[in-house]
Amino acid sequence: MSAALALGDDALVLSHRLGEWAGHAPVLEEEVALANIALDLLGQARVLLSLVGDEDELAYLREERAFRNLQLVEQPNGDFAHTIARQLYFSVHQHLLYAELAAGRSRFTDLAAKAVKEVAYHRDHAEHWVLRLGDGTAESHERLQTGLDALWRFTGEMFQHVEGLDIDWQALQGSWLAAITDVMERATLSVPDGPQSGAWAAGAGRQGLHTEPFGRMIAEMQHLHRSHPGASW
């Protein structure tokens, strides 16, 4: 599995999921924020996928089993709190990962050095909303806790080895867990059961095995391109 393909698919799929909030976000300011994050991720995806092949063909003409994204990023948006839970888990992971890549010397160093600045904003945005919702009303607290609990089982896959990335995955997982715990505690939220209980069940998105909602998302994302093959503006 190509590391560029794995990271590119993560960014592409989450970009599409966030783009689904267009016209549906709770407030106008948040609609703009989510759109900007989606565009940042799409830009990252274009660079990463172009390292593998034709970015349009990779995005629009591959079958479901050929995608190598994390199962976490393909999960449906749910309510706003659910989206924020997904964004917290992934953006903290991506920020830590890109910081490591930016400090190293690999084909991803330049990309990571630029992207880490974008991802720092994504992480800050997610953490801000976790604090606001977690320590807000009883309903916002409950909804966010529900989202965090539901998505926890997908987080273990973020720390599986990806060939081509010289990363200490165990150390990355420790840093991620410490950061997540800190935010949740400040937001008066409970950290879901950890890997010791067996609740941290890694997915298999990196192996091309995806959850049911992903097939419907891919069909929607690829529909226009497949309906008009070879079309240009």
Side-chain angles (χ1 to χ4, degrees):
M1 174 183 58
S2 164
L5 190 64
L7 299 182
D9 284 351
D10 286 346
L12 175 67
V13 171
L14 186 55
S15 173
H16 186 82
R17 279 299 189 206
L18 292 175
E20 293 174 344
W21 274 105
H24 301 285
V27 294
L28 181 58
E29 182 181 7
E30 192 55 26
E31 182 145 331
V32 173
L34 291 175
N36 283 335
I37 294 172
L39 287 172
D40 286 344
L41 291 167
L42 184 60
Q44 295 168 20
R46 293 189 63 188
V47 174
L48 287 160
L49 293 180
S50 68
L51 296 176
V52 182
D54 183 277
E55 61 188 78
D56 288 334
E57 290 186 4
L58 288 168
Y60 298 124
L61 297 179
R62 273 185 297 163
E63 299 298 329
E64 178 181 331
R65 291 290 297 270
F67 280 81
R68 294 295 182 262
N69 58 278
L70 298 165
Q71 288 186 355
L72 173 66
V73 299
E74 70 193 40
Q75 297 311 301
N77 290 326
D79 63 17
F80 182 67
H82 199 95
T83 288
I84 291 301
R86 184 188 62 200
Q87 198 63 25
L88 176 72
Y89 287 158
F90 181 75
S91 63
V92 172
H93 159 73
Q94 194 184 36
H95 186 225
L96 294 171
L97 175 62
Y98 278 19
E100 285 282 330
L101 293 175
R105 300 182 66 179
S106 71
R107 65 188 303 207
F108 303 108
T109 299
D110 291 341
L111 166 69
K114 178 182 179 181
V116 74
K117 300 173 184 177
E118 299 173 342
V119 178
Y121 164 73
H122 303 175
R123 175 178 177 175
D124 182 71
H125 175 268
E127 291 183 355
H128 165 79
W129 273 108
V130 168
L131 295 171
R132 185 173 178 180
L133 296 175
D135 199 23
T137 66
E139 182 177 0
S140 70
H141 178 99
E142 181 181 359
R143 287 189 178 215
L144 182 55
Q145 186 68 64
T146 297
L148 292 165
D149 292 345
L151 294 171
W152 185 255
R153 66 193 180 97
F154 296 107
T155 57
E157 188 181 15
M158 295 189 295
F159 310 105
Q160 292 179 353
H161 173 74
V162 176
E163 187 177 354
L165 296 181
D166 186 16
I167 297 292
D168 184 336
W169 296 100
Q170 186 173 2
L172 186 71
Q173 180 177 344
S175 298
W176 179 89
L177 186 57
I180 293 295
T181 300
D182 174 66
V183 175
M184 288 192 188
E185 288 179 348
R186 288 190 285 127
T188 70
L189 295 158
S190 300
V191 178
D193 291 337
Q196 294 82 4
S197 69
W200 194 323
R206 293 289 193 231
Q207 287 74 51
L209 300 177
H210 299 283
T211 55
E212 183 179 352
F214 183 65
R216 295 192 294 271
M217 192 212 84
I218 288 296
E220 179 184 83
M221 187 179 80
Q222 297 182 338
H223 172 72
L224 184 62
H225 187 93
R226 288 178 178 268
S227 297
H228 303 279
S232 60
W233 292 101

